[in-house]
Amino acid sequence: MNKFVDRPRFSCALGGALFTLRALTRAIPIIHASAGCGYNLYTAGNAGAGYLGGGYCGGTGWSSSNVVEREVVFGGSDRLSEQIRSTLELIDGDLFVVVTGCMVEMIGDDIGSVLDEFANEDVPVIAVSTPSFKGNSCDGYDMLLGGLFSDYVRRDAEKRTDTVNLLGLVPGQDAFYKGNLTEIRRLLERLGLRVNTFFGEGETLENLKNASEASLNIVLSDVYGVGAAGVFEKTHGTPYISLPLPVGAVQTSQFLREAADALNLPRDAVERVIKDEEARYYDYLERIADIYNDVDLQRYAVVVGDLNYAPAVSRFVADELGWLPRLAVVTDDLDEGEIRRVEKRFTGWESDVSPLVRFDTDTSSVRRYLQEAWRPGNNERYYDSLSPLFLIGSVFERDLAASLGVPLLTVSFPVTNRIVLNQSYAGYKGGLGLTSDLLSTLIAGR
Amino acid sequence: MTIDLNSTTFGKREERLGSVVGYVGTIKDLASQSRCGSLKDRGRCFSQSSSCDAGCVLGYISHIRDIAIINHAPSGCTAGASSVLTNQTQLASKRGLPYNTVILGTDMNESDTIFGATGTLHDTILETYRRYKPEAIFVTTSCVSGIIGEDVDSVIAETGEELPIPVVPIHCEGFKSKVWATGFDAADHAILSRIVVPPRKKGNFVNFKNFNESARDDIVEMFRALGVDVFMIYSNTTLEELSHVSEALATIAICGTLASYLGNGLEQRYGVPYIKTINPLGVTGFETWFRDIGRVIGKEAEVEAYIERERALYLPKLEEVKKRLRGLRVVLGMGSSFAFQVARVIQELDMEVAYIASWHYDSRYDDGNPPPHVQYLAEHAPRDFDVSVADQQNFEILNILNRYKPDLYLARHPGTTVWAVKQGVPAIFMADEYMSFGYKRTLSFAYTILDRITNRSFEKNLSSRIRLPYTDWWYRQESASLYEEAR
Ligand code: SF4
């Protein structure tokens, strides 16, 4: 059988679009779907993202056309038009975005002609088709951003060589998106760049509207955001590069060098920033050297996560903590090309270790791969055991961690056992944060 | 209305119970319109996301242990499944019981919506049985499976023959009913029609329909005093246990909205009496309800003895705490039954009901009678007060809170009290259906209210620093000004 998802690590395209809009200040979604969709997706997304909350108008606050049988039979265009009109009156926002659920996509409402009625409003009203049968939450992020890039971002902007946009971290799917974006932006700003992340601290819709000034889009992912970056290139002529999400000093310094090269920034200026950041970083990291060695905090590691986190975290524990990652399970549903791109991220590490890498959406498979990665004994009399082991994944790995009797840190969706605020796992700051979270788990009993 | 257990489908609440999701008026008007059956529903020209039948079913049926639920739907509809399962697992582990129920989705994709997915469903059912060996498989439908007209019943009939366990459809397409509580009936219908078997003998127990059984120990104790056992459903039950609910002495419930279908169905089909009084929240509610149970199962003397004991223990303390709550003004936003039952408790505690927003409203139950709690409140309220049926609509609630400026907002259903707090109104999310059940919990409910209003810093600080999405224009309108004319 082709698909059997026993515990979904992604919600649907509509869910991805809604949480992306949730992260965009004063952008108001108008859900064209049945009554339950918005709230169900909010419930799942809120908890899975370390309790992101509904924000300005989310959850029970989301405007939703709540189509019922009548619309399914006779079409929902009139209802949608009425809903947009009332939303404009009731909700104070700067951009209104109609997003669609599966059922209205199937009844074939002509949303374009409904939108024509609102072409002369003071605030823009646009629509993005986001049927959940067309993809998961990460696809929804791409669909939504693609729509915003073509229908909202200014077309007439002059390019500025010092301006870049950051893509590839899906709000909510990445529970740490805001901390991560803020940290990466901070670093790029140190290189003298102006950076739009759209969802970072203090950013507004102006950042999005003027994003076409950018001369480069940096996609912090091999898959997420790549589609939207393609739309951007086509509509605004800005090229993009895909770089992996950098976690910790080793990856972040490499990231800065690659980004700087792509922008033809002078190398010595970049090296100065790296040197300064690394000095601060190792000043902190040095602290753990004592406890690390006194109680032996080296661990084997198994990492289960999405395609952004699985390689980055595996590499971090290998290259920086000196751990031994034995297995990495990437939980996305990917095509051949995408798999090859993500696989590459597990090679070329400084530590020269490499885990067994598997691609699987099915939570129950992790245990099987673990046996594959580590065949205990093979009937030999003496053997290494995969111990002490640390599991890094999502809350879905809780049962596995409990049955193996090993600690678990949740970093990948769903992260329902943590409150995530401004923490970051990206950049230098993120590497220190991850170190602190991992090692705190190990010494919690002290 | 007679409940028909021979079909896989059943009537939605709008049809069976004259339920509405839009109304504005007063408690006395609502009571009299319910009696005359004249209540008309009103739509809205603005709406916000709320809940659907399918979500309601997944959350409720998954209380049963060791079954599999297959949601025949696109991935988004099943997105909440893992948090539902976490909740149920915790409820089971509190009682030290194993809980192995799984929720799976068929994750319908685009080609499924064109070519149908009965093949996928068929395979998923078989694979689910192979992997998990559940006691039964329930297949829930969705908007998408409903729109493409999937013949779920035939696939199920087919696979049901191949498998040694019941495979049962639950029809709960989200767009079908405006009243998501229809999902409770969908779940009950499946249980009544496919799981419950005729009684072998009369048992010495009552069925108690509830959600999370947090008061279980006290309730078991209570019924032990009457010399009968209590069987709490569906939380932590097995299918085998559930199949014998037809043998009960009576069916009772924490909530009429929750139990109307099962209670009346068991009464009609197997003659198990269903207790239909106001429900056991607060002192009056508890005593009315418990006395009626005593009458039906012939344990009047034991009931009176119990009441006397408990009264002596708790009434003096309740009188004390009432003094400190006197005059507090409360707005309530809850389901069709709880809204009015908790309002009664608020009045008992000498607080003032400023407003009730009922999520939906059933103008009668499956026995054909109007809900007793609304009649009771209309008769006993010190003065007529405003009521609306607000369908969990956040914009209406915030408008109401802004207008009535209560000391406290009480709500059930997650994601609603947060908005009151953001607007600066202290709120209590009454997640536990036993908050204010009987004497002891009415007392602790009173203390909870006291605690809540004692430190208002969180909502005070937050509300003064964040922005809410509604325009000033909206706060100047009447909360029901976006209703359409009654149809
Ligand atoms: S598509 Fe229908 S069944 Fe699925 S969540 Fe939305 S309203 Fe509920």
Side-chain angles (χ1 to χ4, degrees):
Chain A
M1 75 166 280
N2 55 347
K3 49 181 183 174
F4 193 86
V5 179
D6 73 347
R7 295 195 185 194
R9 293 175 192 269
F10 300 90
S11 84
C12 63
L14 176 61
L18 283 171
F19 274 89
T20 304
L21 285 164
R22 150 78 182 83
L24 201 55
T25 306
R26 290 180 63 76
I28 313 295
I30 298 174
I31 305 170
H32 190 28
S34 310
C37 303
Y39 187 66
N40 286 345
L41 293 168
Y42 157 74
T43 313
N46 171 43
Y51 305 93
L52 179 53
Y56 181 59
C57 65
T60 50
W62 272 329
S63 165
S64 172
S65 64
N66 296 356
V67 296
V68 288
E69 205 147 19
R70 183 181 60 211
E71 283 84 30
V72 168
V73 178
F74 300 108
S77 298
D78 291 349
R79 177 71 196 91
L80 176 62
S81 157
E82 178 184 63
Q83 181 71 16
I84 298 175
R85 199 164 298 287
S86 54
T87 305
L88 289 172
E89 241 176 333
L90 250 95
I91 308 277
D92 177 25
D94 294 334
L95 165 66
F96 291 80
V97 185
V98 176
V99 285
T100 46
C102 340
M103 75 297 298
V104 307
E105 292 282 336
M106 291 165 65
I107 58 183
D109 282 350
D110 182 0
I111 294 176
S113 64
V114 174
L115 281 195
D116 288 345
E117 297 171 31
F118 300 92
N120 297 321
E121 292 292 330
D122 298 338
V123 285
V125 183
I126 66 173
V128 184
S129 159
T130 52
S132 106
F133 55 71
K134 275 211 179 134
N136 68 16
S137 40
C138 297
D139 300 314
Y141 164 86
D142 264 289
M143 293 174 195
L144 185 91
L145 281 186
L148 292 174
F149 291 162
S150 49
D151 294 352
Y152 182 68
V153 171
R154 273 171 58 198
R155 298 255 176 179
D156 52 353
E158 291 257 341
K159 292 280 174 275
R160 296 182 51 148
T161 50
D162 65 344
T163 303
V164 298
N165 302 317
L166 278 183
L167 301 170
L169 304 188
V170 181
Q173 179 64 36
D174 180 346
F176 306 89
Y177 76 94
K178 196 158 191 160
N180 288 346
L181 288 172
T182 303
E183 165 70 354
I184 301 296
R185 188 182 64 196
R186 179 185 75 81
L187 293 168
L188 292 174
E189 281 172 353
R190 288 203 70 184
L191 303 184
L193 296 168
R194 295 166 76 238
V195 187
N196 301 307
T197 77
F198 316 129
F199 315 110
E201 287 173 13
E203 289 189 55
T204 68
L205 281 173
E206 286 302 300
N207 293 79
L208 176 61
K209 195 159 187 73
N210 297 319
S212 41
E213 290 175 351
S215 50
L216 182 69
N217 283 322
I218 301 175
V219 186
L220 291 166
S221 174
D222 285 304
V223 177
Y224 314 149
V226 170
V231 172
F232 203 108
E233 180 159 25
K234 226 167 66 212
T235 36
H236 305 289
T238 304
Y240 69 91
I241 51 167
S242 247
L243 296 174
L245 171 73
V247 173
V250 172
Q251 295 169 55
T252 306
S253 298
Q254 182 183 344
F255 164 81
L256 289 176
R257 289 188 182 104
E258 285 173 355
D261 286 352
L263 286 154
N264 293 319
L265 300 179
R267 208 40 192 294
D268 51 335
V270 178
E271 290 305 328
R272 266 200 306 279
V273 170
I274 289 175
K275 194 160 169 237
D276 178 59
E277 287 290 334
E278 288 192 352
R280 295 163 193 247
Y281 180 86
Y282 283 101
D283 174 51
Y284 283 112
L285 203 71
E286 187 191 11
R287 293 187 185 190
I288 62 156
D290 302 56
I291 176 88
Y292 188 109
N293 291 291
D294 286 348
V295 301
D296 187 10
L297 293 179
Q298 191 187 31
R299 293 292 182 269
Y300 293 106
V302 168
V303 180
V304 183
D306 67 31
L307 61 89
N308 281 5
Y309 275 98
V313 169
S314 303
R315 181 173 178 190
F316 175 80
V317 297
D319 282 3
E320 304 212 30
L321 296 184
W323 287 12
L324 300 167
R326 290 299 178 178
L327 168 68
V329 181
V330 180
T331 54
D332 299 68
D333 187 10
L334 301 173
D335 66 32
E336 278 304 314
E338 292 166 334
I339 288 180
R340 268 196 301 277
R341 294 210 294 275
V342 176
E343 264 174 345
K344 272 217 318 273
R345 304 298 180 195
F346 289 94
T347 59
W349 297 356
E350 286 189 357
S351 54
D352 225 19
V353 301
S354 53
L356 175 74
V357 180
R358 287 288 177 263
F359 291 81
D360 202 320
T361 57
D362 193 345
T363 297
S364 57
S365 308
V366 177
R367 190 182 295 271
R368 185 156 39 86
Y369 296 131
L370 197 60
Q371 278 155 11
E372 198 182 319
W374 195 271
R375 290 204 179 76
N378 288 332
N379 291 330
E380 292 150 32
R381 183 153 183 173
Y382 300 103
Y383 58 88
D384 276 350
S385 62
L386 188 59
S387 169
L389 174 68
F390 202 116
L391 194 52
I392 304 167
S394 73
V395 285
F396 290 163
E397 275 61 61
R398 189 150 47 192
D399 289 350
L400 180 62
S403 73
L404 297 171
V406 303
L408 167 72
L409 181 73
T410 55
V411 302
S412 196
F413 190 95
V415 186
T416 56
N417 62 340
R418 300 181 60 178
I419 300 283
V420 178
L421 299 173
N422 61 350
Q423 292 102 312
S424 154
Y425 283 145
Y428 299 101
K429 185 171 167 245
L432 294 175
L434 184 54
T435 304
S436 158
D437 289 348
L438 286 168
L439 301 191
S440 296
T441 311
L442 288 178
I443 59 150
R446 292 196 148 230
Chain B
M1 197 175 146
T2 324
I3 287 172
D4 173 12
L5 299 179
N6 294 323
S7 161
T8 59
T9 55
F10 61 97
K12 53 188 177 184
R13 285 196 177 209
E14 296 92 307
E15 289 157 7
R16 279 182 16 250
L17 309 182
S19 307
V20 300
V21 292
Y23 161 85
V24 62
T26 68
I27 188 70
K28 290 201 196 302
D29 176 66
L30 184 66
S32 92
Q33 289 221 47
S34 307
R35 281 196 306 276
C36 338
S38 57
L39 210 58
K40 293 262 177 321
D41 198 12
R42 295 176 67 178
R44 291 169 172 76
C45 68
F46 177 72
S47 53
Q48 289 167 305
S49 53
S50 62
S51 305
C52 71
D53 299 24
C56 175
V57 168
L58 291 181
Y60 199 58
I61 198 103
S62 57
H63 277 297
I64 302 171
R65 284 156 57 202
D66 309 338
I67 57 169
I69 302 160
I70 298 174
N71 195 19
H72 192 35
S75 65
C77 307
T78 322
S82 42
S83 45
V84 167
L85 290 178
T86 307
N87 182 54
Q88 320 298 45
T89 309
Q90 284 170 353
L91 290 177
S93 75
K94 262 196 214 157
R95 287 188 53 202
L97 295 168
Y99 175 86
N100 297 306
T101 290
V102 290
I103 302 179
L104 307 147
T106 52
D107 288 15
M108 299 174 86
N109 59 24
E110 191 159 27
S111 82
D112 292 338
T113 67
I114 299 163
F115 303 110
T118 44
T120 312
L121 177 60
H122 177 267
D123 294 350
T124 307
I125 294 173
L126 297 182
E127 177 67 12
T128 299
Y129 180 71
R130 195 185 64 75
R131 282 202 196 187
Y132 301 100
K133 298 283 178 312
E135 302 284 328
I137 295 175
F138 293 89
V139 177
T140 51
T141 59
S142 64
C143 291
V144 168
S145 71
I147 291 175
I148 61 175
E150 286 274 87
D151 189 357
V152 172
D153 286 352
S154 324
V155 180
I156 286 174
E158 232 170 79
T159 45
E161 274 165 29
E162 293 171 50
L163 297 178
I165 54 164
V167 183
V168 185
I170 302 184
H171 289 276
C172 51
E173 296 86 355
F175 65 83
K176 279 269 170 73
S177 171
K178 284 187 277 186
V179 184
W180 54 263
T182 295
F184 293 132
D185 311 337
D188 286 352
H189 183 80
I191 297 295
L192 266 178
S193 62
R194 292 291 307 278
I195 303 300
V196 176
V197 296
R200 301 159 299 187
K201 55 174 191 325
K202 203 70 190 163
N204 184 39
F205 68 93
V206 292
N207 301 317
F208 193 148
K209 197 156 193 261
N210 78 149
F211 295 97
N212 299 327
E213 59 172 2
S214 72
R216 180 187 180 84
D217 293 350
D218 288 340
I219 290 167
V220 168
E221 198 54 45
M222 219 171 88
F223 281 93
R224 191 171 297 144
L226 309 192
V228 300
D229 293 329
V230 57
F231 176 49
M232 306 200 61
I233 47 185
Y234 295 140
S235 201
N236 291 317
T237 56
T238 64
L239 268 198
E240 156 62 22
E241 290 166 346
L242 266 179
S243 69
H244 301 305
V245 288
S246 57
E247 297 170 7
L249 295 168
T251 304
I252 57 183
I254 193 66
C255 168
T257 298
L258 174 69
S260 173
Y261 200 88
L262 188 88
N264 285 297
L266 281 173
E267 185 170 276
Q268 290 173 14
R269 180 79 176 75
Y270 298 110
V272 179
Y274 172 49
I275 306 294
K276 308 179 187 78
T277 65
I278 53 174
N279 73 0
L281 303 188
V283 172
T284 311
F286 180 79
E287 292 178 351
T288 311
W289 174 83
F290 206 35
R291 286 194 167 115
D292 206 42
I293 295 171
R295 182 182 59 75
V296 168
I297 65 175
K299 302 276 183 186
E300 280 112 323
E302 290 87 338
V303 164
E304 290 307 325
Y306 181 90
I307 288 179
E308 200 176 319
R309 268 198 317 276
E310 296 276 308
R311 279 184 154 239
L313 217 51
Y314 293 107
L315 290 195
K317 292 186 190 132
L318 264 173
E319 286 308 316
E320 267 314 298
V321 67
K322 265 160 75 170
K323 290 185 201 140
R324 300 165 66 192
L325 296 173
R326 181 157 302 146
L328 285 177
R329 296 173 61 255
V330 182
V331 170
L332 299 97
M334 300 180 193
S336 178
S337 166
F338 271 93
F340 303 96
Q341 316 261 13
V342 177
R344 187 182 64 239
V345 182
I346 290 302
Q347 293 187 340
E348 262 177 36
L349 293 173
D350 275 358
M351 290 177 277
E352 185 193 330
V353 175
Y355 196 99
I356 295 179
S358 177
W359 295 156
H360 79 278
Y361 178 67
D362 304 314
S363 55
R364 58 179 178 275
Y365 281 143
D366 281 295
D367 61 344
N369 290 314
H373 40 265
V374 168
Q375 301 301 320
Y376 181 94
L377 208 55
E379 277 164 39
H380 294 84
R383 53 167 193 88
D384 204 9
F385 55 78
D386 296 337
V387 172
S388 67
V389 177
D391 199 22
Q392 250 173 309
Q393 294 298 301
N394 182 56
F395 71 110
E396 289 179 34
I397 299 294
L398 290 202
N399 181 300
I400 291 161
L401 292 176
N402 183 57
R403 186 163 310 246
Y404 290 80
K405 303 230 169 2
D407 299 298
L408 182 67
Y409 174 59
L410 295 176
R412 277 177 54 81
H413 301 94
T416 63
T417 45
V418 43
W419 290 99
V421 165
K422 286 182 177 183
Q423 199 166 280
V425 180
I428 297 175
F429 168 39
M430 299 182 67
D432 179 2
E433 73 267 26
Y434 290 102
M435 210 173 198
S436 90
F437 168 81
Y439 306 89
K440 181 167 100 184
R441 286 181 172 72
T442 301
L443 184 62
S444 66
F445 176 52
Y447 287 135
T448 303
I449 294 177
L450 268 181
D451 289 348
R452 192 67 198 83
I453 58 171
T454 298
N455 186 348
R456 307 183 189 200
S457 309
F458 184 70
E459 56 271 11
K460 219 174 103 216
N461 286 330
L462 193 66
S463 65
S464 65
R465 288 171 177 85
I466 59 165
R467 271 184 76 167
L468 288 173
Y470 303 109
T471 54
D472 296 340
W473 173 84
W474 170 239
Y475 285 108
R476 288 195 304 271
Q477 311 306 306
E478 295 284 335
S479 72
S481 61
L482 297 185
Y483 286 10
E484 288 157 0
E485 279 316 300
R487 266 184 297 218

